[in-house]
């Protein structure tokens, strides 16, 4: 246990930081680089535990991947060069590694077994196993193939047309990756747009992919071609500082080179809707992904309603948005966010427990949270639920708490943001 005691912080936050590379994009860069023919350099790669699970998975299949500071060098030799791993592959806490790799492993001509930590072992895998089985995949495991550990007997797959029953980019990505090597055409349709990094990365690696509104088709069987990738800063990591600057009086913090892909920027829309002062500068686009600098300056906030199509655009930011809402006047309603129940932990229950214990006034609903602001946060001892985003949210909450906040264990933060405390320190001058 890595307990942490956080004292109230009576000053403003200021300065400029560059948050680490985007987690979703880092995973995808490793996958495409490992499947491609040729050498891929991934710069500003997120060296977090989750992305390293994806790296290790490919290393165990014979791919040479080197790390030089924050650049990853992947020696892709095409899909044909991947080897049957000798040991079961460990996915740790990483849902993205699990879901995306299942799509890929289903079509590889060998046998693999995969497993994860106790938290991943509780997360539903049937959402990817079901469409993959429709494509011909042979997957078995706990709960009739619904949970890891799973065993995958790679086989020839057939393309399908699959309409996503859940708002999940991981499911979309698993089917597209399986489709990359399936016979015929694979088409994925969605009712609500989810993050599109897989599509962007497939395009960057010269895959034959067509996007028509909410429908994506992949027909490629040619090897992907290596390309260099720059990973923009993770808006889901930036979110902790966007909220910190918005709630700690007199603060102003600038975040450089943050990914601004439209499928991820829901938190910016919410901050604006709540009256926050947020500025976007130096917008650019690299490797098919947009990015820019974000500056948030403290000002009074008011509640809002967050529902419908915006939910997938901010799903990972909801814990810290709930904290934001405790510091806004009036009521904030979050609904249609039932996916939070099956994240690293049940994030609806975790957020309500942590923030209520600290003195916030909020209630859980089946698919969201209602927050009655503005409330002073007192302090106390809380659990971070071994969930990186709950842990970081609680650390940011401590900045506005009146008394000491004690967190049971913050080691989970290394999953997505190993340098979190260093960056936080840099805003506390
Ligand atoms: C991710 C998609 C989201 C998100 C997760 C990363 C991805 O999950 O919550 O942190 O990289 O595709 P779902 O697609 O399952 O909603």
């Amino acid at each position: 246990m890595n307990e942490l005691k956080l004292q109230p912080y009576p000053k403003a936050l200021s300065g400029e930081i560059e948050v680490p590379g985007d987690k979703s994009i880092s995973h995808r860069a490793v996958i495409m680089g490992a499947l491609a023919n040729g050498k891929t350099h991934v710069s500003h790669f997120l060296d977090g535990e989750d992305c390293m699970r994806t790296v290790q998975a490919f290393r165990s299949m014979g791919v040479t991947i080197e790390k030089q500071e924050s650049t990853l060098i992947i020696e892709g030799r095409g899909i044909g060069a991947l080897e049957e791993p000798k040991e079961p592959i460990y996915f740790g806490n990483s849902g993205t590694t699990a879901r995306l790799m299942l799509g890929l492993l289903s079509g590889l001509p060998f046998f693999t077994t995969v497993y994860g930590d106790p938290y991943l072992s509780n997360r539903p895998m049937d959402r990817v196993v079901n469409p993959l089985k429709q494509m011909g995949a042979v997957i078995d495991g706990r709960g009739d193939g619904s949970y890891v550990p799973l065993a995958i007997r790679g086989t020839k797959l057939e393309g399908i047309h699959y309409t996503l029953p859940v708002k999940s980019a991981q499911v979309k990505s698993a089917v597209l990756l399986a489709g990359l090597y399936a016979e015929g055409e694979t088409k994925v349709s969605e009712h609500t747009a989810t993050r599109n990094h897989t599509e962007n990365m497939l395009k960057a690696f010269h895959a034959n992919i067509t996007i028509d509104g909410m429908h994506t088709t992949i027909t490629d069987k040619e090897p992907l071609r290596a390309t260099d990738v720059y990973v923009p800063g993770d808006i889901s990591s930036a979110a902790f500082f966007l909220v910190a600057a918005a709630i700690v009086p007199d603060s102003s913090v600038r975040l450089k080179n943050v990914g601004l892909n439209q499928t991820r920027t829901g938190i910016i829309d919410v901050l604006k809707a709540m009256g926050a002062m947020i500025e976007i500068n130096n917008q650019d686009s690299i490797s098919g992904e947009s990015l820019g600098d974000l500056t948030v300056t403290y000002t009074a906030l008011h509640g809002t309603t967050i529902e419908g199509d915006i939910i997938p655009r901010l799903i990972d930011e909801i814990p810290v948005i709930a904290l934001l809402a405790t510091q806004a006047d009036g009521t904030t309603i979050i609904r249609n966010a039932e996916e939070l129940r099956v994240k690293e932990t049940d994030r609806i229950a975790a957020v309500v427990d942590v923030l209520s214990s600290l003195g916030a006034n909020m209630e859980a609903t089946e698919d969201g949270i209602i927050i009655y602001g503005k409330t002073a946060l007192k302090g106390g001892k809380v659990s971070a639920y071994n969930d990186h985003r709950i842990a970081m949210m609680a650390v940011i909450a401590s900045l506005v708490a009146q008394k000491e906040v004690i967190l049971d264990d913050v080691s989970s933060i290394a999953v997505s943001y190993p340098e979190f405390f260093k960056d936080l320190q840099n805003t506390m001058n």
Side-chain angles (χ1 to χ4, degrees):
M1 284 286 178
N2 198 351
E3 188 180 90
L4 189 67
K5 294 183 173 167
L6 297 146
Q7 306 310 319
Y9 186 70
K11 291 193 288 181
L13 301 174
S14 62
E16 185 174 281
I17 51 178
E18 180 150 10
V19 295
D22 187 274
K23 182 157 81 71
S24 294
I25 298 175
S26 294
H27 280 295
R28 286 152 174 87
V30 177
I31 295 173
M32 307 300 167
L35 298 182
N37 273 324
K39 199 182 269 193
T40 291
H41 294 83
V42 184
S43 45
H44 202 227
F45 172 75
L46 170 62
D47 187 8
E49 284 174 7
D50 266 19
C51 296
M52 289 313 291
R53 300 292 174 208
T54 300
V55 169
Q56 289 301 352
F58 283 104
R59 282 183 176 152
S60 72
M61 291 189 277
V63 182
T64 302
I65 305 178
E66 250 184 77
K67 202 152 65 63
Q68 289 176 2
E69 292 173 6
S70 69
T71 298
L72 214 59
I73 304 159
I74 308 167
E75 309 274 351
R77 288 183 296 129
I79 194 155
L82 296 179
E83 296 161 9
E84 187 170 67
K86 294 188 184 69
E87 306 275 340
I89 305 179
Y90 183 57
F91 292 153
N93 193 246
S94 181
T96 307
T97 310
R99 306 280 180 30
L100 272 57
M101 291 305 292
L102 281 171
L104 187 69
L105 294 171
S106 297
L108 293 177
F110 49 69
F111 176 77
T112 30
T113 52
V114 300
Y115 69 113
D117 73 5
Y119 303 89
L120 188 67
S121 302
N122 272 326
R123 299 184 66 187
M125 293 298 144
D126 47 348
R127 53 179 56 200
V128 292
V129 170
N130 291 340
L132 293 173
K133 280 186 174 168
Q134 286 177 32
M135 297 176 82
V138 182
I139 303 174
D140 204 355
R142 205 160 60 86
D144 200 19
S146 299
Y147 299 98
V148 294
L150 291 168
I152 305 109
R153 165 67 59 198
T155 187
K156 279 203 166 27
L157 303 176
E158 298 282 338
I160 50 168
H161 180 187
Y162 191 66
T163 301
L164 293 184
V166 275
K167 296 172 273 190
S168 168
Q170 293 178 348
V171 177
K172 174 174 63 174
S173 303
V175 176
L176 288 175
L177 287 171
L180 197 51
Y181 299 100
E183 201 59 50
E185 186 179 279
T186 298
K187 186 170 175 179
V188 183
S189 301
E190 47 189 353
H191 297 297
T192 308
T194 62
R195 65 190 67 190
N196 61 358
H197 305 301
T198 298
E199 296 91 308
N200 291 344
M201 192 72 72
L202 281 166
K203 268 197 224 156
F205 278 75
H206 310 277
N208 189 6
I209 178 169
T210 325
I211 299 159
D212 172 16
M214 305 290 264
H215 312 280
T216 305
T217 309
I218 186 142
T219 48
D220 226 342
K221 283 172 118 187
E222 295 304 312
L224 298 177
R225 275 186 276 148
T227 185
D228 289 344
V229 176
Y230 171 83
V231 182
D234 197 329
I235 192 163
S236 300
S237 298
F240 298 100
F241 294 100
L242 298 177
V243 169
I247 63 176
V248 176
D250 304 324
S251 296
S252 185
V253 174
R254 186 177 175 93
L255 297 149
K256 291 191 56 80
N257 299 324
V258 179
L260 296 176
N261 179 314
Q262 280 292 313
T263 63
R264 298 284 299 282
T265 48
I267 187 166
I268 297 178
D269 299 356
V270 165
L271 279 161
K272 285 182 180 162
M274 294 176 80
M277 274 170 68
I278 179 160
E279 229 184 87
I280 307 178
N281 299 108
N282 299 326
Q283 287 200 61
D284 203 348
S285 167
I286 311 182
S287 314
E289 294 284 350
S290 43
L291 72 170
D293 300 343
L294 298 175
T295 307
V296 173
T297 305
Y298 173 81
T299 188
L301 302 170
H302 52 81
T304 187
T305 296
I306 305 167
E307 62 184 345
D309 287 356
I310 198 172
I311 296 295
R313 298 179 55 231
L314 47 66
I315 189 74
D316 292 341
E317 289 67 78
I318 290 178
V320 81
I321 288 173
L323 166 64
L324 177 73
T326 68
Q327 302 307 300
D329 285 321
T331 303
T332 294
I333 300 170
I334 302 170
R335 48 168 91 96
N336 311 128
E338 62 284 348
E339 275 297 303
L340 290 176
R341 297 267 183 206
V342 289
K343 292 294 174 191
E344 283 80 334
T345 189
D346 175 345
R347 284 186 175 158
I348 292 178
V351 164
V352 172
D353 175 39
V354 170
L355 289 173
S356 304
S357 305
L358 295 179
N361 184 4
M362 55 172 61
E363 60 187 89
T365 63
E366 218 163 281
D367 67 346
I369 310 173
I370 305 173
I371 303 116
Y372 306 98
K374 170 179 183 175
T375 48
L377 299 184
K378 298 190 293 262
K381 186 166 181 173
V382 290
S383 169
Y385 286 81
N386 207 55
D387 179 323
H388 53 133
R389 301 206 194 278
I390 301 294
M392 289 186 274
M393 179 276 281
V395 172
I396 300 300
S398 78
L399 298 173
V400 290
Q402 291 162 345
K403 292 203 173 121
E404 183 180 68
V405 171
I406 305 174
L407 272 169
D408 63 341
D409 186 3
V410 291
S411 53
S412 61
I413 292 175
V415 155
S416 65
Y417 201 162
E419 310 260 88
F420 174 68
F421 287 106
K422 193 172 135 223
D423 284 347
L424 180 59
Q425 206 57 51
N426 283 339
T427 66
M428 296 171 96
N429 305 312

